[in-house]
Amino acid sequence: MVFAEDNKTVDIMQSKKGEPKGLYEHNIESTLLYESVLAEPSVVLRVDLNQVYGVRIYEDYPSFHFINKDSPKNQLHQKLVNSFNGEHNR
């Protein structure tokens, strides 16, 4: 993976359907999903390599910020988090 000088595109080797890899350029214009003024996210919560559903953060206390509210994994995680005292989510 190589970032272009403009920091808006990335060049990556990618295979489609198991065929030989090709070099692709992807636009990576940013969409902010979460940002804290106090702390960086410590863990990115993923369904798989392609789908993020939240982050764990340590601001004043450990907590979770859920991004994809409709994800079944997110809903399960929220139920588990709510089962324990001392954990907070947003």
Side-chain angles (χ1 to χ4, degrees), residues 28-44:
I28 57 168
E29 286 290 329
S30 297
T31 299
L32 182 62
L33 298 177
Y34 175 79
E35 183 177 52
S36 168
V37 295
L38 299 176
E40 295 177 0
S42 60
V43 176
V44 176

Side-chain angles (χ1 to χ4, degrees), residues 30-65:
S30 297
T31 299
L32 182 62
L33 298 177
Y34 175 79
E35 183 177 52
S36 168
V37 295
L38 299 176
E40 295 177 0
S42 60
V43 176
V44 176
L45 306 171
R46 301 174 185 265
V47 173
D48 55 34
L49 290 176
N50 299 317
Q51 186 180 5
V52 172
Y53 68 89
V55 292
R56 182 174 181 138
I57 52 177
Y58 292 93
E59 291 177 332
D60 296 334
Y61 47 83
S63 61
F64 295 92
H65 177 79

Side-chain angles (χ1 to χ4, degrees), residues 13-30:
M13 299 291 287
Q14 181 178 1
S15 172
K16 294 193 178 196
K17 299 180 184 175
E19 297 174 1
K21 291 180 182 179
L23 181 62
Y24 291 84
E25 180 177 79
H26 290 276
N27 183 336
I28 57 168
E29 286 290 329
S30 297

